[in-house]
Amino acid sequence: MPLTKVVEISPTTRHEGHSKLTLKVNDQGIVERGDWLSITPVRGIEKLAIGKTMEQVPKIASRVCGICPIPHTLASIEAMEASIGCEIPTDVKLLRVILHAANRLHSHALHNILILPDFYIPGTETKINPFSKEQPLRSVAVRIFRIREIAQTIIAVAGGEAIHPSNPRVGGMYRNVSPRAKQKMADLAKEGLVLAHEQMEFMLEVIRNMQNRGFTDVAGKEIPIPRNLGYHNQGVMATAPMYGSSSLDEKPMWDFARWKDTRPWDWYMGEVTIDLEDPSYPIGGTTKVGTKANPRMEACNTVPTYDGQPVEVGPRARLATFKNFTEKGTFAQHIARQLEYPNCFYTILKCLDNLDTSGKVLADHIPQGDGSMGWAANEAPRGTDVHIARVKDGRVLWYEMLVPTTWNLPTCSRALTGAPWQIAEMVVRAYDPCVACATHMIVTDEENRIVAKKLLQW
């Protein structure tokens, strides 16, 4: 009779934001049920948005994250434009796509730094320290930092600032770029394209090497790597290979009616007692035996579903939807992410070729809205980032953010089944989590305050 035990990794590491893993495992240490949940405090962006002007809310929404403020800014602006029915000039779209592609580059490069310590230098038994001064790792780190520098500089030129761009606005942009700025971005993109190819080839070699090893070392113990690590039976969701879609499109690539939010109370496991502990697990050991955990009460994220099921979003979902990419699981997510590197620079160069620096960058008429619902889905580095708004007389009546990691939290939970618990974090990191964006507290029954009441009782 198999014996099920509970082990907890809290917090998980080497990603943005705070999350934890509560894992039920069998007597072989294999995950039978995994709950991955956000424990980052709720920020309440949606509530803050109500009553604000449609120009204020994108600036507020972008502050939910310092890694992916570009997708949040653009999705928020375009949700407003979709709600009020505002069409933007062609050159605005080109500048926004440039910003978006550059942000994806910067994020993917950062993710390389975060995952590399899980991998080995091919042909050796040495795990990779991306901050090592030894070659060839020193050159890899320098290349990654240069790619990020190039991407952030392009964002600063086109967007106004590298982190929270000031140039995009409802109806367009505040300014076009000068011919000199356009040339500067093109020069940077051409330099970056060479580096992107080199970085992609390096990462693919490292990932394939790991995939073929069959085992890894965690805290001095040899842990087997299943061939199907990170597999799940859920679908994928993506709205475009590069940019996204909105409800203004002739053929929208996302459907509001197919989305449903579920309370964490209805999804995650209830109270459990930790009865498996490993003090040697990096960093600082797992949660101590005897500690009580209650994922359904601790989760700060909702559980969105599409057609009633969780879905995977991100690079693998984009390639599976638009490029016939058929690989599955943790390593496939890593591989898909690397394959996106060069296309980001090709996209930037193509947009710059078509950009008219004398073109207008503001709509002739910006309606103030009648309260209609509009949405925009932006393909952020980590996946589909949906913002939904209702705007009336220039002010926001209702606002919702369905960010990539919110979609991936329940999907990854299911993908943990069958993995040795010691490498569960490897499965999580493959999703490139941005947990800070994914924190939401919902009260679906405003009259009875169900969620709040249960939290108080715990």
Side-chain angles (χ1 to χ4, degrees):
M1 183 74 175
L3 177 65
T4 298
K5 291 194 172 186
V6 180
V7 61
E8 184 179 76
I9 302 168
S10 180
T12 50
T13 59
R14 284 193 271 128
H15 59 73
E16 198 275 340
H18 297 271
S19 72
K20 63 184 280 186
L21 283 164
T22 305
L23 308 168
K24 288 185 176 180
V25 304
N26 64 19
D27 51 5
Q28 301 298 311
I30 304 300
V31 176
E32 294 182 336
R33 171 177 175 148
D35 276 7
W36 179 37
L37 52 141
S38 165
I39 53 174
T40 302
V42 175
R43 296 184 178 185
I45 295 292
E46 287 93 339
K47 286 291 184 186
L48 283 173
I50 296 174
K52 302 294 191 300
T53 68
M54 60 180 172
E55 288 82 12
Q56 289 175 306
V57 171
K59 298 185 185 303
I60 296 171
S62 77
R63 266 63 183 179
V64 75
C65 182
I67 305 296
C68 41
I70 305 297
H72 287 309
T73 298
L74 298 179
S76 182
I77 286 174
E78 295 188 3
M80 305 297 163
E81 292 168 348
S83 175
I84 63 177
C86 179
E87 300 283 351
I88 58 172
T90 301
D91 289 309
V92 172
K93 194 71 176 184
L94 293 172
L95 287 168
R96 290 181 182 180
V97 174
I98 290 169
L99 286 172
H100 181 84
N103 177 254
R104 186 180 294 183
L105 282 163
H106 129 78
S107 184
H108 283 4
L110 175 62
H111 186 246
N112 284 174
I113 290 287
L114 295 174
I115 64 166
L116 277 172
D118 284 333
F119 292 82
Y120 292 81
I121 299 172
T124 76
E125 292 299 313
T126 304
K127 283 196 173 181
I128 295 174
N129 174 5
F131 300 107
S132 170
K133 294 182 179 179
E134 304 297 324
Q135 294 291 10
L137 299 180
R138 179 65 177 169
S139 296
V140 173
V142 169
R143 185 168 63 219
I144 291 174
F145 295 147
R146 181 57 182 158
I147 291 172
R148 296 192 69 229
E149 184 179 30
I150 288 172
Q152 293 294 76
T153 303
I154 290 174
I155 293 171
V157 172
E161 282 88 19
I163 305 299
H164 296 289
S166 58
N167 195 22
R169 55 165 294 178
V170 175
M173 308 285 275
Y174 282 100
R175 58 170 176 76
N176 203 334
V177 299
S178 68
R180 185 176 179 185
K182 174 180 172 178
Q183 186 59 53
K184 179 178 181 179
M185 288 190 286
D187 292 343
L188 287 169
K190 289 172 185 173
E191 177 192 347
L193 181 58
V194 176
L195 299 177
H197 276 288
E198 293 174 356
Q199 183 62 16
M200 178 185 70
E201 296 298 333
F202 169 78
M203 291 301 300
L204 291 178
E205 182 184 7
V206 166
I207 295 164
R208 293 296 189 198
N209 173 69
M210 187 72 168
Q211 197 173 16
N212 294 329
R213 284 177 61 88
F215 64 90
T216 186
D217 178 276
V218 179
K221 303 179 186 69
E222 191 173 286
I223 308 298
I225 302 175
R227 297 294 299 179
N228 60 350
L229 182 68
Y231 279 33
H232 60 76
N233 293 322
Q234 309 309 129
V236 296
M237 185 176 79
T239 59
M242 176 54 70
Y243 192 76
S245 180
S246 88
S247 52
L248 285 181
D249 291 346
E250 185 177 344
K251 294 181 179 179
M253 293 296 291
W254 190 77
D255 187 348
F256 177 86
R258 296 168 67 182
W259 159 62
K260 182 182 178 182
D261 241 353
T262 300
R263 301 178 306 170
W265 180 267
D266 296 323
W267 180 268
Y268 289 112
M269 69 178 86
E271 185 175 277
V272 290
T273 301
I274 308 303
D275 52 8
L276 175 61
E277 176 185 352
D278 185 351
S280 69
Y281 183 80
I283 303 172
T286 60
T287 301
K288 293 186 179 303
V289 165
T291 305
K292 292 191 180 301
N294 195 335
R296 65 172 49 164
M297 299 302 298
E298 297 169 290
C300 293
N301 57 280
T302 60
V303 180
T305 58
Y306 206 60
D307 295 332
Q309 295 292 326
V311 291
E312 179 186 329
V313 299
R316 193 188 76 89
R318 288 191 283 264
L319 266 62
T321 303
F322 297 104
K323 303 289 184 181
N324 296 319
F325 185 74
T326 57
E327 292 191 52
K328 297 174 64 177
T330 297
F331 294 109
Q333 289 172 318
H334 288 310
I335 289 165
R337 187 168 289 108
Q338 315 315 315
L339 295 177
E340 290 193 328
Y341 261 123
N343 192 43
C344 291
F345 280 119
Y346 285 125
T347 298
I348 291 171
L349 288 167
K350 183 178 180 181
C351 288
L352 288 171
D353 281 345
N354 292 311
L355 179 67
D356 178 3
T357 56
S358 299
K360 68 176 183 178
V361 291
L362 190 63
D364 293 329
H365 173 59
I366 303 177
Q368 294 302 293
D370 60 5
S372 298
M373 190 273 288
W375 59 261
N378 198 306
E379 284 298 323
R382 297 162 176 87
T384 310
D385 176 30
V386 185
H387 288 226
I388 313 167
R390 293 185 185 275
V391 180
K392 185 176 182 181
D393 300 328
R395 291 192 177 272
V396 174
L397 300 179
W398 179 71
Y399 197 67
E400 182 70 41
M401 296 169 63
L402 304 170
V403 308
T405 301
T406 312
W407 293 103
N408 279 333
L409 281 162
T411 310
C412 178
S413 294
R414 292 190 171 176
L416 291 164
T417 302
W421 73 263
Q422 295 92 340
I423 57 174
E425 279 196 273
M426 284 179 60
V427 178
V428 167
R429 290 187 192 113
Y431 288 85
D432 190 10
C434 188
V435 183
C437 303
T439 57
H440 299 269
M441 178 60 68
I442 60 166
V443 178
T444 55
D445 188 337
E446 290 285 353
E447 183 177 349
N448 295 316
R449 310 291 294 175
I450 291 175
V451 171
K453 183 179 178 181
K454 288 182 176 177
L455 279 172
L456 289 172
Q457 288 173 339
W458 189 53

